[in-house]
Amino acid sequence: MQRKLFYKDGFWATVMLLPNIVGFLMFLLLPVLATFVISFSNWDMIDAFKFNGLTNYKHLTEDPVFHQVLGNTFYFTLVSVPIGIALSLLLAVFLNQKLKFIRFYRAAFFLPVISSMVAVSVIWQWIYNPEFGLLNYALSFLGIDGPTWLTSASWAMPAVIATSIWKSLGFNMLIFLAGLQSISDDYYEAASIDGASKVRQFFSITVPLLSPTTFFVTVMSIINSFQVFDAVYLMTQGGPARSTSVLVYYIFQNAFQYFQMGYASAMAYVLFFIVLIITLIQFWRQKKISIY
């Protein structure tokens, strides 16, 4: 019996998958379920665990800071996602050409993706420095007195958004590049014979045939934008006046600075359902759009 079991593919498949299954149960599913239970309590990780029903969720509707950070999160998403997708698509089209040193260019644009966010934040903090930063120095040649980027309530969020777009540009570019290389050259040759310009080919051939790739990039970009944390934590600490404080950063503050673990867990589940609803809407809309 044991010898027969030894030679069965299902047995070895289970053995190989077991570490991942155990890891999923212990480090993903169990914490998610525990967070759901904690969201109905006022646990501070010190005193005894006490249930308080829907109090945390009711408090969310009355918390002006929660409303502000939720608005900041939507602002970050609505600005960063379209700009990031457009730039990465144009960059992928450029890097899909037969150019000299094309591999070097592709690697250079992908380098920020694998770089540490700490290093990226330090570099961009220096670029944004109002006194000796590279950006204000460049603006001075145009006769423009640059703002105090990261300490300005008006400019801090655009500065964080620009950094985040630059950091993730290479990943989206790589996905688009793979999609572009799967499009047959026959379409472009036929369009050229018909007299279509490069711009017309881009909007009539490239964009429609890239719709599955664009859908994937859009979904992933929106999910990642709602989970933005590291850039805010490292560059602005949510300031000034919470102008860059986003939902995940506020969850972090409530959980590990204010020790309101129940309230933080409630916010985490609100974030989960927001992302889930937006993702489901995207999948529903995608079914209505023809994919070539």
Side-chain angles (χ1 to χ4, degrees):
M1 180 67 181
Q2 293 180 350
R3 186 178 182 85
K4 291 182 178 180
L5 184 64
F6 183 83
Y7 286 105
K8 284 188 175 181
D9 292 339
F11 170 76
W12 287 110
T14 304
V15 171
M16 297 298 178
L17 290 173
L18 193 60
N20 283 335
I21 295 174
V22 173
F24 171 78
L25 294 175
M26 291 183 60
F27 301 110
L28 186 61
L29 184 60
L30 184 60
V32 167
L33 296 176
T35 301
F36 181 72
V37 175
I38 294 171
S39 69
F40 297 100
S41 73
N42 61 352
W43 186 46
D44 60 0
M45 298 189 293
I46 299 175
D47 297 327
F49 187 91
K50 296 179 181 178
F51 284 97
N52 62 358
L54 297 174
T55 303
N56 291 327
Y57 292 94
K58 181 181 178 182
H59 183 46
L60 286 175
T61 63
E62 304 168 350
D63 185 359
V65 178
F66 172 74
H67 298 160
Q68 181 182 1
V69 300
L70 184 60
N72 290 341
T73 305
F74 275 100
Y75 170 36
F76 182 93
T77 300
L78 292 174
V79 175
S80 65
V81 172
I83 295 177
I85 292 175
L87 290 177
S88 58
L89 176 56
L90 293 175
L91 184 61
V93 171
F94 171 73
L95 295 179
N96 195 40
Q97 310 300 317
K98 295 180 180 179
L99 303 173
K100 197 174 183 180
F101 305 117
I102 190 64
R103 292 184 179 179
F104 169 78
Y105 295 140
R106 292 173 181 174
F109 281 109
F110 189 75
L111 188 60
V113 178
I114 60 176
S115 300
S116 167
M117 191 62 204
V118 176
V120 170
S121 298
V122 170
I123 292 173
W124 279 91
Q125 281 178 316
W126 173 77
I127 292 174
Y128 289 133
N129 189 285
E131 296 181 3
F132 51 83
L134 184 62
L135 182 55
N136 280 1
Y137 178 72
L139 291 175
S140 66
F141 285 100
L142 302 175
I144 301 174
D145 188 14
T148 55
W149 295 94
L150 297 179
T151 56
S152 169
S154 302
W155 289 102
M157 181 60 87
V160 173
I161 290 174
T163 304
S164 299
I165 291 174
W166 181 83
K167 178 75 166 64
S168 61
L169 193 64
F171 177 79
N172 292 338
M173 175 270 295
L174 192 65
I175 302 298
F176 276 124
L177 189 60
L180 287 170
Q181 292 181 349
S182 67
I183 300 175
S184 174
D185 293 335
D186 295 340
Y187 296 109
Y188 297 104
E189 292 175 1
S192 298
I193 294 173
D194 290 339
S197 64
K198 293 292 184 181
V199 175
R200 182 63 182 273
Q201 291 178 29
F202 175 77
F203 286 104
S204 299
I205 299 175
T206 305
V207 173
L209 293 179
L210 275 180
S211 58
T213 306
T214 305
F215 172 69
F216 172 78
V217 171
T218 302
V219 171
M220 296 304 299
S221 296
I222 291 177
I223 292 174
N224 291 334
S225 66
F226 271 96
Q227 296 177 341
V228 62
F229 169 77
D230 45 7
V232 172
Y233 178 76
L234 294 167
M235 296 180 70
T236 63
Q237 295 282 304
R242 288 199 179 275
S243 61
T244 60
S245 183
V246 290
L247 194 50
V248 175
Y249 182 73
Y250 191 46
I251 293 173
F252 162 78
Q253 284 186 308
N254 277 274
F256 302 108
Q257 293 181 359
Y258 311 149
F259 298 105
Q260 297 178 353
M261 189 60 71
Y263 192 50
S265 298
M267 279 190 286
Y269 261 88
V270 169
L271 174 62
F272 166 75
F273 282 111
I274 289 174
V275 174
L276 176 63
I277 291 171
I278 293 175
T279 304
L280 291 177
I281 291 173
Q282 288 179 287
F283 274 93
W284 175 77
R285 285 189 68 254
Q286 187 66 9
K287 290 181 180 180
K288 305 291 183 180
I289 302 174
S290 298
I291 300 179
Y292 293 86

